[in-house]
Amino acid sequence: MLLERERERYDRQILLFGEEGQERLKDAKVFIAGAGGLGCPIALYLAVAGIGEIHLVDRDTVDRTNLNRQVLHWESDIGELKARSAEAKLREANPDIRIKAFAATIDETNVRDLVGDADLIVDAMDNFPTRYLLNREALRSGVPLIHGAIRGFDGQATTIIPGRTACLECIFPEAPPAEVFPVVGTTPGVIGLIQANEAIKYLLGKEDLLVNRLLLWDGLATTLETYTVERRPDCPACSEGVQSCRSG
């Protein structure tokens, strides 16, 4: 049940999808991997939308070079763990939700425990090896994964439903080279909000998600395009043979 102050806070959303929809968001648990350029807007907008429980993981500390795009971290947070800095801002933004922040490196030994019983995994990372770990955990657990990535003025996003759609390794069978990439702060804002919007739609049970489609944002041309993607029968992560072996 919604509290009276929650009905007031979410009044404009309740006009859109009713108290039942708002209660679905309140009952949801979302795991966000990363509290940087993408993770900050994702976490902030999911928090103010009323997602009941948000788990946030990031191993890094706030650096001055983060401040052009990582909107939950401020000058006074330099040297602070990003997980703690983000947690404090999110609690202030919405005291009626639960925030659990972890300062940890996501790896093969802890990814299952960190994701836990989340209803949704959101990829806000800056490297593909960790994204592949999240992808495989999503496939193992059957939990959807919302992917986003950025570089410069450009970004991309897609939603992965295990067993139904192309997985991340179908779309990107090889990781791009690791780099310290350039980025303007508006790019993670655009892509992060697309990811947050996908999360809200999924949790509300809406159709027409960004499934089997890769969205590409060109910030210089101000264009959004989507390209159809398909499952690969030889995918090392989600092909039927691989999944059968895991089930067995």
Side-chain angles (χ1 to χ4, degrees), residues 91-123:
R91 290 187 186 280
E92 184 70 18
N94 191 346
D96 286 323
I97 65 170
R98 297 175 298 281
I99 307 292
K100 294 185 179 180
F102 304 90
T105 299
I106 300 171
D107 59 31
E108 292 180 350
T109 68
N110 64 14
V111 63
R112 184 175 299 186
D113 289 336
L114 287 172
V115 171
D117 60 349
D119 300 302
L120 192 61
I121 301 169
V122 185
D123 162 25

Side-chain angles (χ1 to χ4, degrees), residues 113-187:
D113 289 336
L114 287 172
V115 171
D117 60 349
D119 300 302
L120 192 61
I121 301 169
V122 185
D123 162 25
M125 297 303 300
D126 60 0
N127 70 89
F128 266 81
T130 306
R131 288 186 169 113
Y132 288 152
L133 278 178
L134 295 171
N135 179 64
R136 296 204 177 202
E137 177 57 25
L139 295 171
R140 185 203 66 80
S141 63
V143 174
L145 170 69
I146 299 176
H147 161 74
I150 56 170
R151 188 183 192 282
F153 282 91
D154 303 326
Q156 64 192 33
T158 191
T159 295
I160 295 161
I161 309 294
R164 283 181 42 199
T165 71
C167 80
L168 196 66
E169 290 180 60
C170 291
I171 305 169
F172 304 104
E174 294 185 10
E179 63 170 335
V180 178
F181 52 83
V183 62
V184 64
T186 52
T187 304

